[in-house]
mmCIF file of all heavy atoms in Angstrom:
data_model
loop_
_atom_site.group_PDB
_atom_site.id
_atom_site.type_symbol
_atom_site.label_atom_id
_atom_site.label_comp_id
_atom_site.label_asym_id
_atom_site.label_seq_id
_atom_site.Cartn_x
_atom_site.Cartn_y
_atom_site.Cartn_z
ATOM 1 N N ALA A 1 0.857 -1.195 0.000
ATOM 2 C CA ALA A 1 0.000 0.000 0.000
ATOM 3 C C ALA A 1 0.889 1.239 0.000
ATOM 4 O O ALA A 1 1.779 1.376 0.850
ATOM 5 C CB ALA A 1 -0.907 -0.007 1.217
ATOM 6 N N LEU A 2 0.665 2.151 -0.957
ATOM 7 C CA LEU A 2 1.511 3.332 -1.131
ATOM 8 C C LEU A 2 0.663 4.598 -1.112
ATOM 9 O O LEU A 2 -0.499 4.599 -1.498
ATOM 10 C CB LEU A 2 2.280 3.251 -2.456
ATOM 11 C CG LEU A 2 3.214 2.057 -2.649
ATOM 12 C CD1 LEU A 2 3.819 2.097 -4.051
ATOM 13 C CD2 LEU A 2 4.315 2.056 -1.589
ATOM 14 N N ARG A 3 1.295 5.685 -0.681
ATOM 15 C CA ARG A 3 0.652 7.003 -0.687
ATOM 16 C C ARG A 3 1.615 8.014 -1.307
ATOM 17 O O ARG A 3 2.787 8.088 -0.932
ATOM 18 C CB ARG A 3 0.293 7.430 0.728
ATOM 19 C CG ARG A 3 -0.233 8.882 0.817
ATOM 20 C CD ARG A 3 -0.470 9.283 2.253
ATOM 21 N NE ARG A 3 -1.599 8.551 2.807
ATOM 22 C CZ ARG A 3 -1.832 8.413 4.102
ATOM 23 N NH1 ARG A 3 -0.978 8.931 4.977
ATOM 24 N NH2 ARG A 3 -2.883 7.754 4.532
ATOM 25 N N PHE A 4 1.098 8.824 -2.263
ATOM 26 C CA PHE A 4 1.878 9.883 -2.908
ATOM 27 C C PHE A 4 1.345 11.217 -2.398
ATOM 28 O O PHE A 4 0.219 11.599 -2.693
ATOM 29 C CB PHE A 4 1.737 9.783 -4.427
ATOM 30 C CG PHE A 4 2.689 10.661 -5.197
ATOM 31 C CD1 PHE A 4 4.057 10.490 -5.102
ATOM 32 C CD2 PHE A 4 2.199 11.653 -6.046
ATOM 33 C CE1 PHE A 4 4.935 11.279 -5.827
ATOM 34 C CE2 PHE A 4 3.065 12.447 -6.776
ATOM 35 C CZ PHE A 4 4.429 12.261 -6.662
ATOM 36 N N ASP A 5 2.159 11.925 -1.622
ATOM 37 C CA ASP A 5 1.688 13.135 -0.934
ATOM 38 C C ASP A 5 1.770 14.373 -1.821
ATOM 39 O O ASP A 5 2.599 15.270 -1.612
ATOM 40 C CB ASP A 5 2.514 13.377 0.337
ATOM 41 C CG ASP A 5 2.172 12.387 1.422
ATOM 42 O OD1 ASP A 5 1.020 11.922 1.428
ATOM 43 O OD2 ASP A 5 3.040 12.075 2.239
ATOM 44 N N GLY A 6 0.907 14.440 -2.821
ATOM 45 C CA GLY A 6 0.901 15.614 -3.675
ATOM 46 C C GLY A 6 0.111 15.375 -4.938
ATOM 47 O O GLY A 6 -0.375 14.268 -5.190
ATOM 48 N N PRO A 7 -0.039 16.410 -5.780
ATOM 49 C CA PRO A 7 -0.705 16.231 -7.065
ATOM 50 C C PRO A 7 0.152 15.358 -7.981
ATOM 51 O O PRO A 7 1.371 15.313 -7.845
ATOM 52 C CB PRO A 7 -0.820 17.661 -7.606
ATOM 53 C CG PRO A 7 0.316 18.392 -6.959
ATOM 54 C CD PRO A 7 0.457 17.795 -5.596
ATOM 55 N N LEU A 8 -0.493 14.674 -8.888
ATOM 56 C CA LEU A 8 0.226 13.851 -9.868
ATOM 57 C C LEU A 8 0.063 14.537 -11.220
ATOM 58 O O LEU A 8 -0.936 14.355 -11.921
ATOM 59 C CB LEU A 8 -0.343 12.435 -9.891
ATOM 60 C CG LEU A 8 0.385 11.410 -10.785
ATOM 61 C CD1 LEU A 8 1.863 11.345 -10.449
ATOM 62 C CD2 LEU A 8 -0.265 10.040 -10.651
ATOM 63 N N VAL A 9 1.052 15.367 -11.555
ATOM 64 C CA VAL A 9 0.963 16.209 -12.747
ATOM 65 C C VAL A 9 2.272 16.145 -13.530
ATOM 66 O O VAL A 9 3.202 15.413 -13.159
ATOM 67 C CB VAL A 9 0.633 17.672 -12.368
ATOM 68 C CG1 VAL A 9 -0.793 17.793 -11.851
ATOM 69 C CG2 VAL A 9 1.603 18.187 -11.301
ATOM 70 N N PHE A 10 2.349 16.942 -14.581
ATOM 71 C CA PHE A 10 3.435 16.816 -15.566
ATOM 72 C C PHE A 10 4.833 16.933 -14.972
ATOM 73 O O PHE A 10 5.764 16.274 -15.433
ATOM 74 C CB PHE A 10 3.258 17.858 -16.673
ATOM 75 C CG PHE A 10 3.391 19.284 -16.213
ATOM 76 C CD1 PHE A 10 4.585 19.963 -16.343
ATOM 77 C CD2 PHE A 10 2.314 19.949 -15.658
ATOM 78 C CE1 PHE A 10 4.715 21.268 -15.923
ATOM 79 C CE2 PHE A 10 2.429 21.259 -15.240
ATOM 80 C CZ PHE A 10 3.636 21.925 -15.378
ATOM 81 N N PHE A 11 5.017 17.779 -13.942
ATOM 82 C CA PHE A 11 6.383 18.004 -13.471
ATOM 83 C C PHE A 11 6.830 17.030 -12.382
ATOM 84 O O PHE A 11 7.980 17.073 -11.952
ATOM 85 C CB PHE A 11 6.588 19.448 -12.990
ATOM 86 C CG PHE A 11 5.589 19.912 -11.972
ATOM 87 C CD1 PHE A 11 5.682 19.548 -10.649
ATOM 88 C CD2 PHE A 11 4.547 20.731 -12.354
ATOM 89 C CE1 PHE A 11 4.774 19.986 -9.724
ATOM 90 C CE2 PHE A 11 3.619 21.187 -11.427
ATOM 91 C CZ PHE A 11 3.737 20.808 -10.114
ATOM 92 N N ASN A 12 5.937 16.159 -11.896
ATOM 93 C CA ASN A 12 6.395 15.171 -10.922
ATOM 94 C C ASN A 12 5.991 13.741 -11.275
ATOM 95 O O ASN A 12 6.333 12.803 -10.559
ATOM 96 C CB ASN A 12 5.895 15.515 -9.513
ATOM 97 C CG ASN A 12 4.373 15.494 -9.399
ATOM 98 O OD1 ASN A 12 3.678 14.866 -10.188
ATOM 99 N ND2 ASN A 12 3.849 16.189 -8.391
ATOM 100 N N ALA A 13 5.239 13.564 -12.379
ATOM 101 C CA ALA A 13 4.793 12.218 -12.760
ATOM 102 C C ALA A 13 5.960 11.261 -13.025
ATOM 103 O O ALA A 13 5.929 10.113 -12.555
ATOM 104 C CB ALA A 13 3.857 12.300 -13.966
ATOM 105 N N PRO A 14 7.016 11.674 -13.770
ATOM 106 C CA PRO A 14 8.154 10.756 -13.968
ATOM 107 C C PRO A 14 8.808 10.344 -12.649
ATOM 108 O O PRO A 14 9.194 9.189 -12.467
ATOM 109 C CB PRO A 14 9.110 11.561 -14.852
ATOM 110 C CG PRO A 14 8.236 12.542 -15.563
ATOM 111 C CD PRO A 14 7.178 12.901 -14.581
ATOM 112 N N HIS A 15 8.930 11.324 -11.723
ATOM 113 C CA HIS A 15 9.506 11.029 -10.400
ATOM 114 C C HIS A 15 8.634 10.005 -9.668
ATOM 115 O O HIS A 15 9.152 9.058 -9.048
ATOM 116 C CB HIS A 15 9.609 12.327 -9.595
ATOM 117 C CG HIS A 15 9.809 12.125 -8.127
ATOM 118 N ND1 HIS A 15 11.000 11.700 -7.587
ATOM 119 C CD2 HIS A 15 8.952 12.277 -7.071
ATOM 120 C CE1 HIS A 15 10.878 11.605 -6.277
ATOM 121 N NE2 HIS A 15 9.652 11.946 -5.938
ATOM 122 N N PHE A 16 7.319 10.166 -9.728
ATOM 123 C CA PHE A 16 6.390 9.235 -9.096
ATOM 124 C C PHE A 16 6.593 7.818 -9.644
ATOM 125 O O PHE A 16 6.690 6.846 -8.879
ATOM 126 C CB PHE A 16 4.960 9.710 -9.349
ATOM 127 C CG PHE A 16 3.914 8.646 -9.173
ATOM 128 C CD1 PHE A 16 3.516 8.231 -7.913
ATOM 129 C CD2 PHE A 16 3.325 8.045 -10.285
ATOM 130 C CE1 PHE A 16 2.551 7.241 -7.759
ATOM 131 C CE2 PHE A 16 2.372 7.067 -10.140
ATOM 132 C CZ PHE A 16 1.982 6.662 -8.874
ATOM 133 N N LYS A 17 6.663 7.692 -10.955
ATOM 134 C CA LYS A 17 6.821 6.371 -11.570
ATOM 135 C C LYS A 17 8.127 5.709 -11.132
ATOM 136 O O LYS A 17 8.151 4.526 -10.766
ATOM 137 C CB LYS A 17 6.789 6.510 -13.096
ATOM 138 C CG LYS A 17 6.904 5.188 -13.845
ATOM 139 C CD LYS A 17 6.848 5.420 -15.346
ATOM 140 C CE LYS A 17 7.022 4.106 -16.114
ATOM 141 N NZ LYS A 17 7.014 4.335 -17.584
ATOM 142 N N GLN A 18 9.215 6.489 -11.126
ATOM 143 C CA GLN A 18 10.518 5.943 -10.717
ATOM 144 C C GLN A 18 10.486 5.472 -9.268
ATOM 145 O O GLN A 18 11.023 4.402 -8.935
ATOM 146 C CB GLN A 18 11.604 7.002 -10.904
ATOM 147 C CG GLN A 18 11.887 7.341 -12.363
ATOM 148 C CD GLN A 18 12.791 8.551 -12.493
ATOM 149 O OE1 GLN A 18 13.267 9.092 -11.488
ATOM 150 N NE2 GLN A 18 13.018 8.994 -13.722
ATOM 151 N N GLU A 19 9.850 6.271 -8.394
ATOM 152 C CA GLU A 19 9.802 5.920 -6.974
ATOM 153 C C GLU A 19 8.988 4.643 -6.746
ATOM 154 O O GLU A 19 9.367 3.783 -5.946
ATOM 155 C CB GLU A 19 9.201 7.082 -6.169
ATOM 156 C CG GLU A 19 10.110 8.285 -6.037
ATOM 157 C CD GLU A 19 11.323 7.978 -5.183
ATOM 158 O OE1 GLU A 19 11.152 7.598 -4.011
ATOM 159 O OE2 GLU A 19 12.455 8.078 -5.700
ATOM 160 N N VAL A 20 7.855 4.519 -7.442
ATOM 161 C CA VAL A 20 7.039 3.311 -7.281
ATOM 162 C C VAL A 20 7.800 2.075 -7.743
ATOM 163 O O VAL A 20 7.849 1.044 -7.054
ATOM 164 C CB VAL A 20 5.705 3.454 -8.051
ATOM 165 C CG1 VAL A 20 4.947 2.116 -8.050
ATOM 166 C CG2 VAL A 20 4.838 4.538 -7.424
ATOM 167 N N LEU A 21 8.420 2.157 -8.926
ATOM 168 C CA LEU A 21 9.156 1.003 -9.459
ATOM 169 C C LEU A 21 10.330 0.637 -8.555
ATOM 170 O O LEU A 21 10.610 -0.553 -8.337
ATOM 171 C CB LEU A 21 9.643 1.304 -10.878
ATOM 172 C CG LEU A 21 8.534 1.430 -11.946
ATOM 173 C CD1 LEU A 21 9.136 1.825 -13.291
ATOM 174 C CD2 LEU A 21 7.756 0.110 -12.069
ATOM 175 N N ALA A 22 11.008 1.650 -8.012
ATOM 176 C CA ALA A 22 12.139 1.381 -7.111
ATOM 177 C C ALA A 22 11.658 0.713 -5.829
ATOM 178 O O ALA A 22 12.314 -0.203 -5.300
ATOM 179 C CB ALA A 22 12.874 2.675 -6.797
ATOM 180 N N THR A 23 10.513 1.158 -5.317
ATOM 181 C CA THR A 23 9.980 0.561 -4.086
ATOM 182 C C THR A 23 9.543 -0.879 -4.330
ATOM 183 O O THR A 23 9.795 -1.769 -3.504
ATOM 184 C CB THR A 23 8.789 1.395 -3.570
ATOM 185 O OG1 THR A 23 9.205 2.752 -3.390
ATOM 186 C CG2 THR A 23 8.271 0.847 -2.250
ATOM 187 N N VAL A 24 8.868 -1.129 -5.460
ATOM 188 C CA VAL A 24 8.439 -2.492 -5.796
ATOM 189 C C VAL A 24 9.645 -3.409 -5.967
ATOM 190 O O VAL A 24 9.624 -4.579 -5.557
ATOM 191 C CB VAL A 24 7.569 -2.475 -7.066
ATOM 192 C CG1 VAL A 24 7.286 -3.894 -7.552
ATOM 193 C CG2 VAL A 24 6.266 -1.734 -6.796
ATOM 194 N N ALA A 25 10.734 -2.878 -6.547
ATOM 195 C CA ALA A 25 11.937 -3.686 -6.755
ATOM 196 C C ALA A 25 12.542 -4.137 -5.434
ATOM 197 O O ALA A 25 13.183 -5.196 -5.358
ATOM 198 C CB ALA A 25 12.957 -2.897 -7.564
ATOM 199 N N ARG A 26 12.337 -3.351 -4.363
ATOM 200 C CA ARG A 26 12.882 -3.722 -3.047
ATOM 201 C C ARG A 26 11.929 -4.619 -2.270
ATOM 202 O O ARG A 26 12.261 -5.055 -1.171
ATOM 203 C CB ARG A 26 13.170 -2.456 -2.221
ATOM 204 C CG ARG A 26 14.199 -1.519 -2.837
ATOM 205 C CD ARG A 26 14.727 -0.540 -1.795
ATOM 206 N NE ARG A 26 13.646 0.177 -1.119
ATOM 207 C CZ ARG A 26 13.116 1.317 -1.537
ATOM 208 N NH1 ARG A 26 13.566 1.861 -2.673
ATOM 209 N NH2 ARG A 26 12.150 1.914 -0.856
ATOM 210 N N ALA A 27 10.715 -4.834 -2.805
ATOM 211 C CA ALA A 27 9.718 -5.611 -2.079
ATOM 212 C C ALA A 27 9.527 -6.966 -2.766
ATOM 213 O O ALA A 27 8.907 -7.031 -3.833
ATOM 214 C CB ALA A 27 8.400 -4.842 -2.043
ATOM 215 N N PRO A 28 10.042 -8.050 -2.209
ATOM 216 C CA PRO A 28 9.927 -9.360 -2.859
ATOM 217 C C PRO A 28 8.500 -9.910 -2.799
ATOM 218 O O PRO A 28 7.758 -9.651 -1.845
ATOM 219 C CB PRO A 28 10.896 -10.230 -2.046
ATOM 220 C CG PRO A 28 10.934 -9.578 -0.697
ATOM 221 C CD PRO A 28 10.781 -8.115 -0.940
ATOM 222 N N GLN A 29 8.130 -10.639 -3.821
ATOM 223 C CA GLN A 29 6.868 -11.385 -3.867
ATOM 224 C C GLN A 29 5.630 -10.497 -3.711
ATOM 225 O O GLN A 29 4.655 -10.867 -3.050
ATOM 226 C CB GLN A 29 6.859 -12.478 -2.802
ATOM 227 C CG GLN A 29 7.989 -13.498 -2.981
ATOM 228 C CD GLN A 29 7.991 -14.550 -1.890
ATOM 229 O OE1 GLN A 29 7.335 -14.387 -0.866
ATOM 230 N NE2 GLN A 29 8.705 -15.636 -2.123
ATOM 231 N N VAL A 30 5.684 -9.296 -4.297
ATOM 232 C CA VAL A 30 4.516 -8.408 -4.291
ATOM 233 C C VAL A 30 3.621 -8.767 -5.461
ATOM 234 O O VAL A 30 4.067 -8.896 -6.595
ATOM 235 C CB VAL A 30 4.950 -6.923 -4.377
ATOM 236 C CG1 VAL A 30 3.738 -6.030 -4.635
ATOM 237 C CG2 VAL A 30 5.634 -6.498 -3.098
ATOM 238 N N ARG A 31 2.331 -8.937 -5.178
ATOM 239 C CA ARG A 31 1.363 -9.223 -6.234
ATOM 240 C C ARG A 31 0.520 -7.987 -6.586
ATOM 241 O O ARG A 31 0.158 -7.794 -7.732
ATOM 242 C CB ARG A 31 0.423 -10.351 -5.796
ATOM 243 C CG ARG A 31 1.113 -11.698 -5.602
ATOM 244 C CD ARG A 31 0.071 -12.732 -5.189
ATOM 245 N NE ARG A 31 0.671 -14.052 -5.016
ATOM 246 C CZ ARG A 31 -0.030 -15.133 -4.685
ATOM 247 N NH1 ARG A 31 -1.343 -15.033 -4.492
ATOM 248 N NH2 ARG A 31 0.561 -16.308 -4.536
ATOM 249 N N TRP A 32 0.177 -7.211 -5.558
ATOM 250 C CA TRP A 32 -0.639 -6.015 -5.773
ATOM 251 C C TRP A 32 0.083 -4.784 -5.220
ATOM 252 O O TRP A 32 0.686 -4.831 -4.148
ATOM 253 C CB TRP A 32 -1.973 -6.144 -5.047
ATOM 254 C CG TRP A 32 -3.052 -6.869 -5.805
ATOM 255 C CD1 TRP A 32 -2.884 -7.849 -6.734
ATOM 256 C CD2 TRP A 32 -4.459 -6.670 -5.667
ATOM 257 N NE1 TRP A 32 -4.092 -8.290 -7.195
ATOM 258 C CE2 TRP A 32 -5.098 -7.582 -6.549
ATOM 259 C CE3 TRP A 32 -5.262 -5.840 -4.894
ATOM 260 C CZ2 TRP A 32 -6.470 -7.663 -6.688
ATOM 261 C CZ3 TRP A 32 -6.633 -5.929 -5.006
ATOM 262 C CH2 TRP A 32 -7.232 -6.818 -5.902
ATOM 263 N N VAL A 33 -0.015 -3.686 -5.968
ATOM 264 C CA VAL A 33 0.358 -2.365 -5.453
ATOM 265 C C VAL A 33 -0.931 -1.567 -5.359
ATOM 266 O O VAL A 33 -1.624 -1.352 -6.369
ATOM 267 C CB VAL A 33 1.365 -1.653 -6.372
ATOM 268 C CG1 VAL A 33 1.529 -0.194 -5.942
ATOM 269 C CG2 VAL A 33 2.707 -2.361 -6.350
ATOM 270 N N VAL A 34 -1.282 -1.150 -4.143
ATOM 271 C CA VAL A 34 -2.503 -0.365 -3.926
ATOM 272 C C VAL A 34 -2.084 1.087 -3.671
ATOM 273 O O VAL A 34 -1.398 1.378 -2.689
ATOM 274 C CB VAL A 34 -3.303 -0.895 -2.732
ATOM 275 C CG1 VAL A 34 -4.592 -0.084 -2.559
ATOM 276 C CG2 VAL A 34 -3.628 -2.371 -2.919
ATOM 277 N N LEU A 35 -2.496 1.990 -4.562
ATOM 278 C CA LEU A 35 -2.128 3.402 -4.442
ATOM 279 C C LEU A 35 -3.288 4.184 -3.837
ATOM 280 O O LEU A 35 -4.386 4.220 -4.394
ATOM 281 C CB LEU A 35 -1.770 3.979 -5.821
ATOM 282 C CG LEU A 35 -1.389 5.463 -5.850
ATOM 283 C CD1 LEU A 35 -0.120 5.701 -5.036
ATOM 284 C CD2 LEU A 35 -1.204 5.941 -7.289
ATOM 285 N N ASP A 36 -3.042 4.789 -2.677
ATOM 286 C CA ASP A 36 -4.045 5.623 -2.017
ATOM 287 C C ASP A 36 -4.176 6.945 -2.791
ATOM 288 O O ASP A 36 -3.249 7.750 -2.831
ATOM 289 C CB ASP A 36 -3.613 5.891 -0.570
ATOM 290 C CG ASP A 36 -4.632 6.714 0.200
ATOM 291 O OD1 ASP A 36 -5.730 6.951 -0.321
ATOM 292 O OD2 ASP A 36 -4.321 7.131 1.332
ATOM 293 N N MET A 37 -5.329 7.205 -3.399
ATOM 294 C CA MET A 37 -5.521 8.384 -4.241
ATOM 295 C C MET A 37 -6.058 9.594 -3.476
ATOM 296 O O MET A 37 -6.166 10.680 -4.059
ATOM 297 C CB MET A 37 -6.484 8.045 -5.388
ATOM 298 C CG MET A 37 -5.964 6.999 -6.354
ATOM 299 S SD MET A 37 -4.428 7.522 -7.175
ATOM 300 C CE MET A 37 -5.050 8.852 -8.201
ATOM 301 N N LEU A 38 -6.402 9.425 -2.208
ATOM 302 C CA LEU A 38 -6.970 10.554 -1.466
ATOM 303 C C LEU A 38 -6.039 11.772 -1.396
ATOM 304 O O LEU A 38 -6.491 12.901 -1.547
ATOM 305 C CB LEU A 38 -7.375 10.105 -0.049
ATOM 306 C CG LEU A 38 -8.619 9.211 0.023
ATOM 307 C CD1 LEU A 38 -8.882 8.812 1.469
ATOM 308 C CD2 LEU A 38 -9.836 9.914 -0.567
ATOM 309 N N PRO A 39 -4.717 11.589 -1.163
ATOM 310 C CA PRO A 39 -3.848 12.774 -1.109
ATOM 311 C C PRO A 39 -3.528 13.358 -2.487
ATOM 312 O O PRO A 39 -2.931 14.433 -2.561
ATOM 313 C CB PRO A 39 -2.564 12.248 -0.444
ATOM 314 C CG PRO A 39 -2.898 10.898 0.084
ATOM 315 C CD PRO A 39 -3.979 10.376 -0.783
ATOM 316 N N VAL A 40 -3.874 12.668 -3.568
ATOM 317 C CA VAL A 40 -3.553 13.165 -4.919
ATOM 318 C C VAL A 40 -4.601 14.216 -5.276
ATOM 319 O O VAL A 40 -5.680 13.911 -5.777
ATOM 320 C CB VAL A 40 -3.551 12.011 -5.946
ATOM 321 C CG1 VAL A 40 -3.207 12.547 -7.331
ATOM 322 C CG2 VAL A 40 -2.552 10.940 -5.523
ATOM 323 N N SER A 41 -4.271 15.473 -5.007
ATOM 324 C CA SER A 41 -5.247 16.555 -5.128
ATOM 325 C C SER A 41 -5.547 16.927 -6.569
ATOM 326 O O SER A 41 -6.587 17.513 -6.861
ATOM 327 C CB SER A 41 -4.741 17.794 -4.381
ATOM 328 O OG SER A 41 -3.456 18.174 -4.862
ATOM 329 N N LYS A 42 -4.641 16.619 -7.495
ATOM 330 C CA LYS A 42 -4.855 16.951 -8.910
ATOM 331 C C LYS A 42 -4.217 15.874 -9.769
ATOM 332 O O LYS A 42 -3.147 15.362 -9.447
ATOM 333 C CB LYS A 42 -4.269 18.325 -9.249
ATOM 334 C CG LYS A 42 -4.534 18.767 -10.681
ATOM 335 C CD LYS A 42 -4.040 20.170 -10.921
ATOM 336 C CE LYS A 42 -4.252 20.608 -12.357
ATOM 337 N NZ LYS A 42 -5.663 20.540 -12.795
ATOM 338 N N LEU A 43 -4.893 15.582 -10.888
ATOM 339 C CA LEU A 43 -4.410 14.560 -11.817
ATOM 340 C C LEU A 43 -4.600 15.104 -13.230
ATOM 341 O O LEU A 43 -5.731 15.268 -13.681
ATOM 342 C CB LEU A 43 -5.209 13.261 -11.622
ATOM 343 C CG LEU A 43 -4.713 12.000 -12.340
ATOM 344 C CD1 LEU A 43 -3.350 11.577 -11.812
ATOM 345 C CD2 LEU A 43 -5.721 10.864 -12.156
ATOM 346 N N ASP A 44 -3.489 15.437 -13.910
ATOM 347 C CA ASP A 44 -3.615 15.958 -15.273
ATOM 348 C C ASP A 44 -3.388 14.837 -16.291
ATOM 349 O O ASP A 44 -3.252 13.652 -15.935
ATOM 350 C CB ASP A 44 -2.671 17.139 -15.503
ATOM 351 C CG ASP A 44 -1.198 16.747 -15.488
ATOM 352 O OD1 ASP A 44 -0.901 15.552 -15.284
ATOM 353 O OD2 ASP A 44 -0.351 17.624 -15.694
ATOM 354 N N VAL A 45 -3.363 15.201 -17.576
ATOM 355 C CA VAL A 45 -3.222 14.210 -18.643
ATOM 356 C C VAL A 45 -1.925 13.425 -18.493
ATOM 357 O O VAL A 45 -1.894 12.200 -18.668
ATOM 358 C CB VAL A 45 -3.294 14.894 -20.021
ATOM 359 C CG1 VAL A 45 -2.974 13.896 -21.129
ATOM 360 C CG2 VAL A 45 -4.672 15.499 -20.239
ATOM 361 N N THR A 46 -0.833 14.127 -18.157
ATOM 362 C CA THR A 46 0.454 13.448 -17.976
ATOM 363 C C THR A 46 0.378 12.451 -16.829
ATOM 364 O O THR A 46 0.886 11.329 -16.920
ATOM 365 C CB THR A 46 1.574 14.463 -17.711
ATOM 366 O OG1 THR A 46 1.597 15.422 -18.769
ATOM 367 C CG2 THR A 46 2.923 13.781 -17.623
#
């Protein structure tokens, strides 16, 4: 279960993707990644 503390928009979306993939890589035998969307105050096309 993960939480991203901020909007998910053009200037931080690549950083978000890298952080999630890096965290999953450190977590063995993960089947599901559940992203808490409540703190994501804005979501643009990117």
Side-chain angles (χ1 to χ4, degrees):
L2 300 176
R3 173 184 291 161
F4 191 62
D5 287 331
L8 185 54
V9 290
F10 65 97
F11 53 78
N12 63 22
H15 164 73
F16 160 76
K17 182 179 178 182
Q18 292 170 4
E19 288 292 301
V20 172
L21 292 176
T23 304
V24 171
R26 299 197 307 271
Q29 300 178 346
V30 169
R31 295 181 179 181
W32 275 29
V33 170
V34 182
L35 179 63
D36 182 8
M37 296 299 292
L38 288 178
V40 180
S41 56
K42 184 175 178 57
L43 190 65
D44 68 359
V45 173
T46 305

